[in-house]
């Protein structure tokens, strides 16, 4: 059965890999972007493109209502593609605002239109110090300071909004460090890596698999446990789109 999907952040690294997966699975995709420059690319990938700013709550509400989604997928960030250290400070602040204020607007729009589930991107390397590998039930590092603290407050706000907004079913995908096409690296990190195609595949599966909750999405590693995603979502880190 095909669903109507509103994909927020369709022009990002994961969004560009996820859109063709969704279309191949028979789903209708309304893909949002902030830039007119991405419209033709999204259309070529199979999405119905819409230009909207997640901070414009009224405009966002209108376009989500027009899309009439069964499921909303939140892949919004505002990070430089090359993760340039000189740009990361400002980018972390912008992304934290997306994760708090932007997520609140998106959740409200999803609930208003009657969407049943929201799948959202989070991060798998933000756990408080403790015994490893970290399970999804472990606490996040809420006491972090500086840029890490800003980042964590945004992550915590996003996860709370997604998981505590009934009747919406919330699914959090805590991604490891991305690598592959459209990301800042062609090679996996030494911590908790995940290929961008496998990250997109997790979002596809989470549309209608698994209970509401949190899932670590990464290759086998010493930092974050990944068994839950494999068992409940049927996810594998080996998934790749055809060349």
């Amino acid at each position: 059965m095909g669903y109507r999907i509103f994909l927020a952040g369709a022009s990002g690294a994961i969004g560009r890999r996820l859109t063709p997966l969704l279309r191949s699975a028979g789903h209708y995709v309304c893909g949002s972007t902030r830039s007119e420059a991405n419209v033709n690319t999204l259309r070529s990938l199979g999405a119905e493109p819409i230009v909207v700013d997640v901070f414009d709550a009224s405009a966002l509400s209108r376009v989500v209502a027009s899309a009439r989604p069964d499921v909303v997928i939140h892949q919004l960030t505002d990070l430089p593609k090359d993760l340039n250290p000189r740009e990361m400070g400002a980018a972390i602040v912008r992304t934290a605002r997306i994760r708090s204020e932007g997520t609140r607007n998106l959740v409200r729009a999803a609930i208003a239109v009657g969407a049943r589930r929201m799948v959202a991107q989070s991060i798998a390397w933000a756990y408080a110090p403790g015994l490893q590998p970290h399970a999804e039930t472990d606490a996040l590092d809420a006491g972090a300071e500086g840029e890490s603290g800003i980042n964590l407050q945004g992550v915590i706000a996003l996860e709370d909004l997604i998981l505590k907004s009934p009747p919406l079913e919330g699914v959090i995908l805590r991604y490891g460090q991305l690598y592959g096409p459209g990301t800042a690296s062609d090679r996996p990190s030494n911590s908790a890596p995940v290929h961008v195609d496998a990250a997109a595949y997790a979002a596809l599966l989470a549309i209608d698999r698994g209970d509401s909750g949190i899932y670590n999405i990464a290759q086998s590693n010493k930092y974050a446990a990944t068994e839950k995603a494999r068992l409940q979502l049927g996810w594998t880190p080996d998934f790749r789109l055809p060349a």
Side-chain angles (χ1 to χ4, degrees), residues 2-215:
Y3 296 121
R4 297 182 66 86
I5 309 292
F6 187 89
L7 173 54
S11 61
I14 295 176
R16 292 185 186 219
R17 312 300 281 183
L18 175 56
T19 297
L21 283 179
L22 294 169
R23 294 292 293 127
S24 294
H27 304 303
Y28 163 83
V29 182
C30 180
S32 80
T33 177
R34 288 168 296 175
S35 173
E36 289 279 357
N38 293 320
V39 165
N40 289 337
T41 296
L42 294 185
R43 189 172 284 120
S44 72
L45 292 172
E48 181 65 32
I50 185 72
V51 179
V52 68
D53 187 333
V54 73
F55 299 126
D56 187 339
S58 59
L60 182 66
S61 180
R62 287 194 299 271
V63 299
V64 172
S66 177
R68 297 180 289 111
D70 303 297
V71 179
V72 175
I73 301 178
H74 179 352
Q75 297 284 359
L76 292 165
T77 61
D78 193 359
L79 301 172
K81 289 183 179 180
D82 59 358
L83 301 183
N84 188 325
R86 291 176 295 180
E87 300 178 23
M88 283 300 292
I92 286 170
V93 173
R94 294 194 303 268
T95 297
R97 185 185 174 210
I98 287 174
R99 287 173 171 154
S100 54
E101 181 182 341
T103 301
R104 182 170 62 249
N105 292 341
L106 195 57
V107 165
R108 287 174 176 172
I111 291 174
V113 78
R116 64 171 182 82
R117 176 169 280 210
M118 182 177 284
V119 179
Q121 172 187 152
S122 186
I123 58 177
W125 63 91
Y127 289 102
L131 186 65
Q132 298 181 11
H134 290 289
E136 290 86 348
T137 51
D138 289 355
L140 297 180
D141 191 9
E145 299 179 349
E147 291 181 355
S148 293
I150 294 170
N151 190 30
L152 262 294
Q153 290 309 308
V155 168
I156 290 168
L158 176 146
E159 294 194 356
D160 281 349
L161 285 162
I162 298 298
L163 296 175
K164 300 175 182 177
S165 297
L168 201 61
E169 298 175 2
V171 177
I172 299 293
L173 301 178
R174 287 182 177 164
Y175 290 129
Q177 291 95 350
L178 295 173
Y179 71 98
T183 74
S185 177
D186 294 329
R187 297 171 179 255
S189 70
N190 292 323
S191 179
V194 63
H195 192 278
V196 67
D197 289 358
Y201 183 51
L204 171 70
L205 295 173
I207 289 171
D208 54 10
R209 295 191 190 184
D211 295 330
S212 176
I214 301 168
Y215 299 84

